[in-house]
Amino acid sequence: MKWTDTYDIAAALADAHPEVDPKTLRFTQLREWVMALPGFDDEPSRSGEKILEAIQMAWIEEAD
């Protein structure tokens, strides 16, 4: 997975952290969790606020 695979990342995060409300997550924690996902293989420097926000929004949609 790459940073731009927002929906795949969101689904993987929802599976890995079902007890977490993604609305309460800080971007620093979100970034760490994304980079720790199995199958994630992208440069840490490619993440930014916009991409993290897109992942968070996709996760919120996944959780609903």
Side-chain angles (χ1 to χ4, degrees):
M1 280 184 286
K2 304 292 184 195
W3 286 109
T4 53
D5 299 324
T6 54
Y7 289 102
D8 293 336
I9 291 171
L13 288 170
D15 290 343
H17 304 281
E19 74 289 350
V20 173
D21 179 356
K23 295 176 203 158
T24 64
L25 199 59
R26 292 193 317 256
F27 282 166
T28 53
Q29 184 68 56
L30 177 61
R31 185 175 184 268
E32 289 176 21
W33 284 358
V34 170
M35 291 189 301
L37 287 172
F40 182 79
D41 182 33
D42 204 349
E43 294 295 320
S45 61
R46 296 181 142 214
S47 73
E49 189 172 328
K50 285 190 178 217
I51 208 78
L52 292 170
E53 185 177 3
I55 293 168
Q56 184 182 38
M57 294 308 294
W59 188 1
I60 290 168
E61 288 176 19
E62 181 78 21
D64 286 343

